């Protein structure tokens, strides 16, 4: 039986969360682990399409993802979750769900400065916000509450994707999860 776990990667839009998650997923699959990446954009499209971006809707979205991640993890899957999850209380509730079920949970803060994220601007969100086309962009005109004590802090702007994924893999190995 493979030990499952949830690895939650939180950070600003365009911080590198999803890219790091997919890099780690490939490495874990090569080692024979069962892995799923629960991409925040895909979850919004398929499981949370009726939700907006209010604080309450964001909380609900994070709880749905946390439920799915814990379900997968307790069934032997490494659930890699690259989701902004801007509010500390919603992340704490997900951690508590895992703790109550005895399911391993690792919180990773992909701590990329907003200035770097806005240059990367993978989805064009920062440009749209600057042009006044959208509002409520996390870390710009909507809050992002940084984790105070994540299990790992990755500064993706100072290392390669492979180095970031290797640091996360090392932590999983140290905890007996890889």
């Amino acid at each position: 039986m493979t030990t499952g776990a949830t690895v939650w990667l939180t950070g600003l839009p365009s911080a590198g969360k999803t890219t790091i998650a997919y890099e780690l997923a490939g490495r874990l699959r090569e080692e024979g682990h069962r892995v799923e990446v629960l991409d925040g954009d895909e979850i919004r499209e398929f499981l949370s399409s009726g939700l907006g971006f209010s604080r309450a809707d964001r909380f609900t979205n994070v709880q749905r993802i946390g439920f799915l991640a814990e379900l997968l993890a307790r069934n032997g899957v490494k659930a890699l979750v690259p989701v902004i999850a801007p509010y500390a209380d919603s992340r704490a509730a997900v951690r508590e769900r895992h703790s109550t079920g005895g399911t391993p949970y690792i919180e990773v803060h992909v701590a990329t400065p907003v200035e770097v994220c806005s240059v990367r601007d993978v989805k064009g969100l920062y440009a749209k916000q600057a042009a006044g086309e959208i509002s409520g962009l996390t870390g710009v005109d909507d809050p992002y509450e940084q984790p105070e004590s994540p299990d790992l802090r990755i500064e993706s702007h100072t290392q390669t994707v492979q180095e970031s994924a290797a640091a996360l893999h090392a932590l999983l190995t140290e905890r007996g999860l890889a």
Side-chain angles (χ1 to χ4, degrees), residues 59-81:
F59 187 91
T60 299
N61 185 50
V62 168
Q63 296 318 294
R64 288 178 183 177
I65 298 168
F67 170 80
L68 181 56
E70 199 275 333
L71 178 68
L72 289 167
R74 76 174 126 101
N75 283 286
V77 177
K78 302 288 188 295
L80 308 182
V81 187

Side-chain angles (χ1 to χ4, degrees), residues 24-44:
L24 178 62
R27 182 169 179 174
L28 290 170
R29 285 186 183 112
E30 286 175 5
E31 295 173 351
H33 297 275
R34 295 169 48 204
V35 180
E36 291 294 334
V37 177
L38 301 180
D39 181 275
D41 293 332
E42 292 175 355
I43 297 292
R44 275 236 175 235

Side-chain angles (χ1 to χ4, degrees), residues 34-172:
R34 295 169 48 204
V35 180
E36 291 294 334
V37 177
L38 301 180
D39 181 275
D41 293 332
E42 292 175 355
I43 297 292
R44 275 236 175 235
E45 181 180 354
F46 296 108
L47 295 180
S48 298
S49 63
L51 296 176
F53 291 91
S54 68
R55 185 178 181 104
D57 282 355
R58 289 176 192 241
F59 187 91
T60 299
N61 185 50
V62 168
Q63 296 318 294
R64 288 178 183 177
I65 298 168
F67 170 80
L68 181 56
E70 199 275 333
L71 178 68
L72 289 167
R74 76 174 126 101
N75 283 286
V77 177
K78 302 288 188 295
L80 308 182
V81 187
V83 174
I84 295 168
Y87 302 113
D89 62 345
S90 65
R91 294 191 307 265
V94 171
R95 183 184 289 275
E96 180 60 29
R97 168 183 290 283
H98 284 72
S99 178
T100 299
T103 307
Y105 178 86
I106 294 175
E107 183 179 73
V108 179
H109 180 206
V110 183
T112 309
V114 69
E115 299 79 17
V116 174
C117 294
S118 66
V119 169
R120 291 178 180 172
D121 203 11
V122 177
K123 300 171 198 159
L125 297 174
Y126 293 92
K128 288 179 183 176
Q129 190 278 335
E133 296 172 23
I134 64 169
S135 63
L137 182 59
T138 302
V140 178
D141 60 351
D142 206 60
Y144 177 74
E145 298 170 356
Q146 293 188 25
E148 291 182 17
S149 301
D151 297 288
L152 179 65
R153 189 175 314 275
I154 292 175
E155 297 192 14
S156 71
H157 59 292
T158 65
Q159 58 191 33
T160 66
V161 171
Q162 294 76 19
E163 289 168 336
S164 296
L168 186 44
H169 188 273
L171 178 62
L172 289 170

